């Protein structure tokens, strides 16, 4: 059973939605956020990354940052830039990129579903990142960024969405990256009840993106329960902001790797070592090698692209985690040959979302900032769900979803 609950969203005035809406806080650093928000006083980055309004010498985890986020949020509400709906609603959020749309229901999900694993995860989280968002949610008294979730396709929900989206959208704008964003408000109580009841028959929701936001929202909810002493379970802090999409709508793209050095090896020694686990061929096709099937990789080294193919014995097809391409690369090359034991912590490796293209990999290596790069074949949504169902987790940086949900279009107050 999955709980979806209507809520009174705090959201932008219709004429300001395109100016308020911002990319998630965790896809850019502080300098990039400052540049992104330059000249736009309405940008939600002033709330999600409030350090952009403070001296650069102030650390991003300083208490002043969270106080500034709260101040900026309250300021936008007081100026009617953000306005709270008068009654609880559900919302429909559609994003269209390159002609492909994904359409989800915006509502609140239950912290108990998260705790009881009715909301399934596929990633570990980092404590420092959790603490950051815990503080942000707690100071702002609100979930400011939605958790991106998915569920197995349901025709009943599709039919409701298809009918409702024939109405005029309350928001309809194209962001500067070319993604079209449309929002509809479901304010009919019978329709809301019907949707909520349908979700009660769905076994599980799956976090696609936003594990740190979800974990932090849940921990704030637990904290508020302890502070309250007695609570009914109906309080807003028992729920957190989510957008749930049918799995048939979603698209995972490649999440590529760049590495700073060859771990003391010469290029020849390195190629010789990897050849025990991978068939390495100089790629003589087009300029770059983008894998087109599982267990193959592109590798860029010294101005040349190689096609790598994992050899038999490097993975177990019966193990959904170890047979992932990201696991095969980590277990047979990055760790034993390049010495990168923990890719979450090792500063010698970085990750590049496939949305940036393979030119980005070449540029990083050709600049001498990095020594080599790997282009990956994307994880499938079916693999993600199987891993989450099994209670296992994927290796770090396995999935990259596009398009990115915008923050600022919906805010959920905790009380």
């Amino acid at each position: 059973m999955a709980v979806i609950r209507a809520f009174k969203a705090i959201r932008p005035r219709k004429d300001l939605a395109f100016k308020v809406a911002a990319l998630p806080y965790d896809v850019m650093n502080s300098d990039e956020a400052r540049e992104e928000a330059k000249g736009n006083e309405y940008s939600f980055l002033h709330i999600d990354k409030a350090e952009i309004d403070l001296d650069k010498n102030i650390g991003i985890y300083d208490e002043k940052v969270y106080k500034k986020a709260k101040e900026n949020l309250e300021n936008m509400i007081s100026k009617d830039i953000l306005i709270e709906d008068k009654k609880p609603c559900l919302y429909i959020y559609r994003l269209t990129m390159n002609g492909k749309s994904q359409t989800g229901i915006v509502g609140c999900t239950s912290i108990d579903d998260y705790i009881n694993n009715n909301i399934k995860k596929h990633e570990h989280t980092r404590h420092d990142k959790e603490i950051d968002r815990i503080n942000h949610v707690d100071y702002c008294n609100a979930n400011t960024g939605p958790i991106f979730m998915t569920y197995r396709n349901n025709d009943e929900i599709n039919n409701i969405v298809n009918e409702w989206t024939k109405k005029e959208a309350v928001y309809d704008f194209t962001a500067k990256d070319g993604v079209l964003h449309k929002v509809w408000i479901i304010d009919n109580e019978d329709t809301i009840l019907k949707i909520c009841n349908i979700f009660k028959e769905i076994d599980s929701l799956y976090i696609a993106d936003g594990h740190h936001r979800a974990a932090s929202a849940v921990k704030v909810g637990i904290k508020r329960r302890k502070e309250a002493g007695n609570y009914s379970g109906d309080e807003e802090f028992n729920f957190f902001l989510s957008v749930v999409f049918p799995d048939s709508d979603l698209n995972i793209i490649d999440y590529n790797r760049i590495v700073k050095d060859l771990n003391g090896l010469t290029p020849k020694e390195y190629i010789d070592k990897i050849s025990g686990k991978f068939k390495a061929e100089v790629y003589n096709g087009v300029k770059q090698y983008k894998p087109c099937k599982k267990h193959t990789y592109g590798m860029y080294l010294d101005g040349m692209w190689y096609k790598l193919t994992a050899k038999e014995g490097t993975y177990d097809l019966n193990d959904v985690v170890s047979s992932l391409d990201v696991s095969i690369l980590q277990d047979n090359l990055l760790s034993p040959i390049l010495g990168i034991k923990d890719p979450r912590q090792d500063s010698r490796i970085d990750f590049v979302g496939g949305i940036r293209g393979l030119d980005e990999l070449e540029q990083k290596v050709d600049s001498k900032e990095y020594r080599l790069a790997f282009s990956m074949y994307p994880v499938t949504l079916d693999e993600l769900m199987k891993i989450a169902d099994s209670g296992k987790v994927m290796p770090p940086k396995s999935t990259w979803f596009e398009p990115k949900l915008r923050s600022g279009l919906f805010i959920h107050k905790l009380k």
Side-chain angles (χ1 to χ4, degrees), residues 230-364:
N230 294 322
Y231 64 92
S232 67
D234 196 49
E235 299 88 353
E236 291 298 330
F237 58 70
N238 294 291
F239 304 88
F240 58 96
L241 179 63
S242 300
V243 187
V244 292
F245 295 89
D247 60 349
S248 55
D249 277 14
L250 300 188
N251 181 41
I252 303 178
I253 64 174
D254 44 309
Y255 208 166
N256 302 312
R257 276 85 171 118
I258 47 178
V259 181
K260 288 194 172 179
D261 59 67
L262 297 180
N263 199 27
L265 301 171
T266 66
K268 183 180 184 308
E269 290 170 336
Y270 166 72
I271 294 291
D272 286 344
K273 277 185 174 290
I274 68 171
S275 295
K277 299 290 187 177
F278 299 87
K279 179 182 179 182
E281 308 167 85
V282 174
Y283 183 59
N284 292 317
V286 294
K287 182 183 176 186
Q288 301 157 330
Y289 182 69
K290 185 177 179 68
C292 56
K293 63 179 181 178
K294 283 175 64 66
H295 306 335
T296 61
Y297 309 80
M299 182 176 72
Y300 186 64
L301 173 67
D302 289 343
M304 186 178 298
W305 279 94
Y306 295 79
K307 176 185 175 182
L308 303 185
T309 304
K311 293 183 177 180
E312 287 188 17
T314 56
Y315 55 90
D316 178 0
L317 285 175
N318 295 315
D319 186 324
V320 69
V321 176
S322 71
S323 62
L324 290 174
D325 285 349
V326 287
S327 298
I328 295 168
L329 188 70
Q330 177 63 36
D331 296 343
N332 294 279
L333 195 157
L334 295 176
S335 178
I337 297 174
L338 294 180
I340 298 170
K341 306 297 183 184
D342 184 356
R344 291 195 303 165
Q345 303 287 348
D346 200 314
S347 61
R348 295 171 53 231
I349 189 170
D350 206 349
F351 307 88
V352 179
I355 193 70
R356 297 188 181 184
L358 300 189
D359 286 344
E360 178 83 2
L361 302 184
E362 288 189 354
Q363 181 183 345
K364 292 286 189 182

Side-chain angles (χ1 to χ4, degrees), residues 2-4 102-105 107-111 113-114 118-122 146-152 199 204-211 213-215 217-218 239-247 249-250 381 384-385 401 405:
V3 173
I4 295 291
Q102 60 186 54
T103 307
I105 303 288
C108 286
T109 50
S110 164
I111 70 171
D113 277 357
Y114 182 97
N118 289 334
I119 294 174
K120 297 185 181 293
K121 309 90 179 168
H122 67 267
I147 313 306
F148 183 175
M149 296 198 195
T150 187
Y151 61 93
R152 288 187 170 87
F199 272 101
S204 301
L205 301 177
Y206 299 80
I207 298 177
D209 200 8
H211 282 78
R213 289 194 293 277
V218 169
F239 304 88
F240 58 96
L241 179 63
S242 300
V243 187
V244 292
F245 295 89
D247 60 349
D249 277 14
L250 300 188
L381 202 57
L384 182 154
M385 287 179 157
F401 286 89
L405 309 185

Side-chain angles (χ1 to χ4, degrees), residues 353-396:
I355 193 70
R356 297 188 181 184
L358 300 189
D359 286 344
E360 178 83 2
L361 302 184
E362 288 189 354
Q363 181 183 345
K364 292 286 189 182
V365 173
D366 290 345
S367 71
K368 308 301 182 186
E369 182 182 1
Y370 290 84
R371 190 72 174 86
L372 77 163
F374 299 94
S375 58
M376 310 290 295
Y377 186 71
V379 171
T380 68
L381 202 57
D382 185 57
E383 288 173 325
L384 182 154
M385 287 179 157
K386 284 181 179 177
I387 288 170
D389 283 337
S390 70
K392 298 179 180 179
V393 295
M394 290 182 170

